[in-house]
Amino acid sequence: MAILDILTYPNDTLREPCEPVTAFADPAFQTFVDDLLETMHAAPGCVGIAAPQVGMLKELLIMDCSLTRKPPKGHHGLQVVCNPVILDWSGMEVAREGCLSLPDFTGNVMRAQDVSVQFQDRHGEEIAMNMQGFEARVIQHEMDHLEGRLFIDRVISRKADIFKRKVYGKARR
Amino acid sequence: MKQFALLTLTGRDQPGIVARTARVLFESGCNIEDSSMTQLRGQFTIMLVLGMPEKVSDEELRQQLQAVAGEMELLVHLSRIEDVPSAEPSGEDADACYINVLGADKPGIVYRVTRTLEEVGGNIIDLQTQTLGSAERPVYAMIITAELAADVEPVRQRMLEVARDLGVEITVRDADAPPL
Ligand SMILES: [Zn+2]
């Protein structure tokens, strides 16, 4: 296992669209998933990471809302998400987001409140689930990374919506 | 060292205020570092932080702005500012929250909420208010973004008291944003 380097903006790779994951049985892919997991855990306060953030242009993201200070009700804990598709969404809400690839800032971003997503787990098994609130926000943020988008692309007003980041505490491990 | 100035222009709204102002600034080599421009009840307000070129004096710039201001009946104010932070706002290491106030319009809403925020050590980064609803039944909406000296919970408790006293709805949301 290894902690991978996180690409930070500006970086061309963060702007590239990703390719679907197909090689589920490839040991190198499984090792990469483990490394990405370790990288997420090593980043203070981090609850989600997408493969392109470490330079791997694959439709893979990892999220775990149990890692937040106040875990949201009804969250699904750790999810390794491959090839995600949003099937349905409803509601819109503005809230502040941060990003490992934009370490110095946070911004107000409008996202759907509820999403139904379909994806494959790390072994290629098909999964569908409904996510709400903060968890829905996390997967939308990470799915943006898979298309080469960053939250700053969705910020409406720089003055009111971008903030210098408060510092997160020490790494959990 | 880089020099900065604060420029404000206000007046009755009409098309062309921003373009003509921006033209003067562009032609005199001023850089618009930060800006807030908005229409409030038919009045247009421009607030800018300018990066000042060395070759233009304040007097020259004032004269050029005054030409636009005279034509469009605007009030202009230009003053030098110091200690301008490179990135804004200065929220480093601070917790932040959003305070949303919604209720029937009555005197003292802004005063009571902001006084309470000051008492708990909050610093307002942004405040916007809007009157909604009909003229007979106005609804007042205020959205504040504030940096906090301490935790958001005591702020929420104090705002609940204010909400009860004023008979309005106040929600305080933690602006916490884990990296993703
Ligand atoms: Zn991100």
Side-chain angles (χ1 to χ4, degrees), chain A residues 94 100 108 158 165-166 168, chain B residues 34 95 98 173 176-177 180:
Chain A
V94 174
L100 290 173
N108 289 337
R158 192 183 66 81
R165 192 147 205 15
K166 67 177 196 165
Y168 259 87
Chain B
D34 271 305
D95 268 307
Y98 310 113
R173 283 189 296 151
D176 185 30
L180 303 171

Side-chain angles (χ1 to χ4, degrees), chain A residues 53 98-101 141-142 145, chain B residues 180:
Chain A
Q53 290 182 281
C99 180
L100 290 173
S101 298
H141 176 113
E142 302 306 346
H145 279 301
Chain B
L180 303 171

